[in-house]
Amino acid sequence: MKTAKLGLTMTPSDDRRQSPVLRVALVSPDEALAALITARRGLTDAEAAKRLQQVGPNRFPKPQGPTLGRRLIEQLIHFFALMLWIAAGLAFVGGLPELGIAIIVVILVNGAFSFIQEYRTERTVRSLSALLPERAVVRREGRKLNIPAGELVPGDIVLLSEGERISADARVVRSSELKVDMSTLTGESMSVARLSEPLTDEPADLMEAPNLVFAGTFVTSGSGLVVVAATGGATRLGTISRLTGEVVRRPTPLRLQMNQAVRIIAVLAVSFGAVFFGVSTSLGMTTRDGFLFAVGVIVALVPEGLLPTLSLSLAMSATRMAKRGALVRRLESVETLGSTNIICTDKTGTITTNQMTVSDLVLPGRRYTTTGAGYDPAGVILNADGQPVDGDDKSDVQLFLRIAALCGDARVEERDGRWQCSGDPTEGALLVAAIKGGLERDTQEQATPRVREFPFESNRQRMSTIHLLPSGRHEVLTKGSPESILSLCQRVMVNGNASQLGDNEKRDVLSAADSLAIKGLRVLAFARQETDGIPNTAAEAETEMEFLGLVGMADPVRPEVPVAIARCQRAGIKVIMVTGDHPATAMSVAKQAGLPAHTVMIGSELPDSDDAVGELLTTHDVVIARLAPEQKLRIARALQARGAVVAMTGDGVNDAPALRQADIGVAMGKSGTDVAREAADLVLLDDNFTHIVEAVEEGRAAFDNIKRFLTYHLTDNVAELAPFAVWALSAGRIPLMISVLQVLALDIGTDLLPALALGAERPEPGVMERPPRSKGARLLDRRVLGRAFGFLGPVEATASMALLPIGAALFFGWPESPLPTSGSDLAVLSTMVFSAIVMMQIANAFECRSNPASLFSIGPFSNRLLVGAVAIEALVLLMFVYLPPVQRVLGHNPLGFPQWALVLFTPLILLGAEEARKAVVRARARP
C-alpha cells in the first residue's frame, strides 16, 4: 500500500492476513469459533471478565480534540491577541495602567465570547444521535443475556435481530436471511445479505466479505448469530477513528490572512512609534515623555476594536447560517467557506436522500412514474402523459401494487417530523409506492390475510407470501429478480387479461429491465397466481405464475441538489463526486444531479502520484467510486497541494478522516454519524445540500465585510494618529488634542457597533456569479490600505484637526491669544475633535458599505443594523460629552450649539469627498 505519501500508519497486506477478523472469515464457522477459543454456547462469565481486562472495554475511540481549558487559552494567545497583550504591557510600562487594564478586558471579553460561541456549538453537535448502541444481546454459558455493549469481548456470541445496531466486528456463524445496512462505513445505501459460508479467496477489502459484520452498522432484516472478532480500537470503525486523529488541521485562510494583517499593522505601529519617538526627543522632549508619546502612537494605530468586531461578525454570520440549517462549529470556518473552490461530495445521504424510492413502474405495454422522494408517502402515480392514474388504469396499477403492499414486512412511520423505515429499505420503498397508489397495507391485510410466507433466499432470489382471498381460494404474491421471476411465469397480465408469455414477451421484459438498470435503478419483478389450497413449499407455490410487471427503485437525488450544483458552477466552484458506492450507480446519480461527469473511476485506479491525482481531479470531469477512507483522504491532500481550498462532504464514519483534512468538512446532521459530525467544521442540520451553497455565499460576504470594517477601523486609526503627529512635530507647542484613553474610547466605545453592523452586511448581488478569490488575495490589499491610509484617513484627520485652529479662533481669540494648553478651553477643543472623529466615522460607516458604487445607489438606510448602530453611537457620544463621570475620565467638556454646528459639518466633508472619489473611479472604469 502507498502509505508513505499519506504520512499514515496503515496495516500492510502481510500483517492484514494476521487480522483476527480476516482469519475467521477464511474458515468455516466452527473453525472460526475454535480460532477465537469459544463455542456456540458462549463464553463463561469468568472468561469474559478475564478477556475484558486483557483487551479493555468495547469503546469506540473518537478523535481527541483540545480540552476546554486549551480552547479558552487558544482564544487568548492567537497572534492578534498577542499584539494586544504587548500593547497592554507597553501601557503599564508607560504609566497608563487604566489603558492597560482596558485592553486586557477587551482581550478577555473577546476570548470568552469566542470560546462560549464554539462551546455552545459543540454541545449542539454532541446532543445529536449517538453511534453506538448501549446494550447487546449475548449468549454466555448457554444463557441469553442483555449486557452493556462496552462489555463485549472477542469470542462473545452475539444474537442479532432486525433494527439492532451492531456493536463490534464479528464473524457470522448462522444467518436467517440476515441483511445489514453498511452505509455508515461504505456509503452504499442498499442492504447487503450476510452469510455464514467461508470465503474462498482473500477479499481486496474486508467490507466486501459477506460473512462479516462491522461495528456501527445495523440489521435491516432477518436475524443471525455472530462471534465477536474485534472490539474497540481494533474494529474497522476504530481504524477510521485513529486515521482521523492522525490528521492535523491546517490553519484557516482567515487565520493566515489575519496573521498577515496583524503583522503589517504591528510593523506600521512600531515603526511610527519609533519614528515619532526619535522626532519628539530631537525636538526637545524628554526621553520619558518621548516614550509615553511613542506608546500612545502605537496604541493609536492598533485597532483594539478589530478583534471583537471580527469575532462578533463571524458569530452573526454563523447565527444566520444556523437559521438556514447549517451549524458552524468553528467561527473561522465561516470565511473559509467563501474561499472554497472545490467541493468533494459524497453520494449517499448528501446528494441523495439515503432513502430508497420507487421511481418507475413498468406494466406490459405501459410505463408509470411516481412523484415524491424517500419514505414520505406524499406523492402520486403518473401515467405516460404525466397525469395521475385513474379508471381502469388505476385498477391495473393497484393490482400490481398489491404485491408491493403485502409481500414484505417493513413499516414506514413519521418520527420527529421525518419519515423513517423500520425493516428492509427495499420493502419500505415498495410499501410507500403502494400508498401513493392508494393502497394501505392494513386494509389489504384485513381483506386478504397472510397465511404463509416463504422468505427471500439467495439461491431463489425471490420472496413469496400466501394470502386468503374472500372467495376461499389462496393467492401467491412473489417478488424477486426479473430473471428468477420470469423463469416461473407462463402467463402475462395485459390490461387485466392473462395471455401466454412467450419468448418475445420475455425478451421485451428483459429489455425493459435493462433500460431501468442503465438508469442506475434496482429492478424487481412481480408475479402472482391463485391456488385452491395452501402450498407447503416454495417450489409448490412459485409455479405457473402470471407476470405483472417491473418496478425500478433507487436512492433518489435530493430535488434541490441540481439547482445547488448549478449555482456552484456559476460561482466557479468545481463539484466532484467521491463515493464508496458502485461505479454505475455513482455515474447515474452524478448525471441526475447535474454534474458534468464524463468518466467514472474506482479508487484503486487512481494514479500513483499525488500530483497526478490532483491534476486529474482539477482538469477532468470525473466521478470517483469504490473509494476507501484512505483514498478519500489522499484526494483531499492532493487537491490542497495544488492550492485548492477544499470542502469535503460526508455522513458516514468512513468520511471522518477526509472531513478533518479538508479545509471545510461538511457533515450531515440528521443522517450523519457522530464521528463524522465530530470531524466536521459545518453540520447541515437537515441534510440539505443547498445549505452548502448558501454557506459559501455567506462566507464570501464575510470576507467582503471584513474588508469593509477593516477600512472603517483603519480610517479611524489615521485620524487618531494625527493629533499625536502634530503634537510631536510641533515639539509640544500645539497641544495634544486627544489622549490615549480617548483613543480607546473611539476604538471600543463608539466604533464597535457600526463595525459590527458592517460585518452583518448582506451578500452583494452577483456574489455567487464571480469566481472564488485567489488563495493569495489579501485582506489588507492595496485597495484597503490605499482607501483607508491614502484617502479616507487623511480626509478625516484633516477635517477633525482643522477644528483646533477654527475653534480656537472662533471661541478663544486665537491667534491674538495663544492656543489653550490646559483647562476647560483645551477640554472644549479636545471634545470637538473627538466628536468630529465620531461623526465622520458615522459617515464613513455608510460609505464603507460600497466601493465604488455610490452609497445612494444601494440605499443609505437599507442596512437596518447599521442605522441602529449609528443611532446608538450618537447616544454614546452624547454620554461621553455630557455624563459627568465619563467626562472626567476622558477630559471632556460639554459643547454648545456653535461647537456642535462645526462638528456636524465635518461628516458632510467626508461624504462629499468619498462620493467624489467613487465617481472618479467609476468614470475611469467605463470603457
Side-chain angles (χ1 to χ4, degrees), residues 495-506:
N495 297 326
N497 299 310
S499 61
Q500 190 68 27
L501 179 67
D503 292 339
N504 290 336
E505 287 80 9
K506 288 184 178 181

Side-chain angles (χ1 to χ4, degrees), residues 602-614:
I602 63 175
S604 60
E605 296 173 346
L606 287 172
D608 293 340
S609 164
D610 285 356
D611 289 341
V613 171

Side-chain angles (χ1 to χ4, degrees), residues 649-876:
T649 73
D651 61 348
V653 174
N654 57 322
D655 297 319
L659 290 177
R660 188 171 178 86
Q661 174 66 39
D663 298 282
I664 288 289
V666 184
M668 304 298 111
K670 283 188 176 179
S671 61
T673 61
D674 244 9
V675 175
R677 288 189 289 264
E678 289 285 345
D681 303 284
L682 185 73
V683 178
L684 304 183
L685 295 177
D686 59 357
D687 297 1
N688 190 333
F689 184 85
T690 303
H691 295 326
I692 299 176
V693 186
E694 295 170 347
V696 169
E697 184 178 35
E698 284 285 355
R700 291 188 175 187
F703 187 81
D704 293 341
N705 290 342
I706 292 171
K707 296 181 79 167
R708 287 187 176 100
F709 62 67
L710 266 175
T711 303
Y712 175 79
H713 273 300
L714 295 176
T715 298
D716 192 24
N717 290 148
V718 176
E720 294 166 352
L721 177 63
F724 290 91
V726 171
W727 175 60
L729 296 175
S730 68
R733 289 187 294 272
I734 296 177
L736 182 61
M737 296 312 298
I738 60 174
S739 67
V740 176
L741 284 177
Q742 283 175 298
V743 169
L744 196 64
L746 287 169
D747 285 346
I748 303 299
T750 60
D751 279 0
L752 187 59
L753 288 180
L756 183 58
L758 285 174
E761 191 77 25
R762 294 291 179 181
E764 294 179 350
V767 70
M768 290 299 288
E769 304 298 324
R770 69 192 191 204
R773 67 178 183 274
S774 66
K775 200 168 184 181
R778 297 181 176 182
L779 284 171
L780 283 181
D781 57 17
R782 287 185 297 175
R783 291 186 178 182
V784 171
L785 292 173
R787 190 180 179 196
F789 289 156
F791 187 79
L792 288 172
V795 169
E796 191 171 301
T798 302
S800 60
M801 285 304 295
L803 293 186
L804 170 60
I806 295 173
L810 291 177
F811 307 121
F812 304 114
W814 184 79
E816 288 78 11
S817 300
L819 287 173
T821 57
S822 61
S824 62
D825 293 350
L826 178 61
V828 168
L829 293 175
S830 176
T831 305
M832 289 175 63
V833 172
F834 179 91
S835 301
I837 293 175
V838 174
M839 296 307 300
M840 282 188 284
Q841 279 294 92
I842 288 176
N844 184 32
F846 284 102
E847 286 293 345
C848 283
R849 292 184 59 204
S850 62
N851 186 36
S854 169
L855 167 65
F856 302 100
S857 68
I858 64 171
F861 307 113
S862 54
N863 185 335
R864 295 183 180 181
L865 279 177
L866 182 58
V867 173
V870 298
I872 295 173
E873 183 178 14
L875 292 175
V876 171

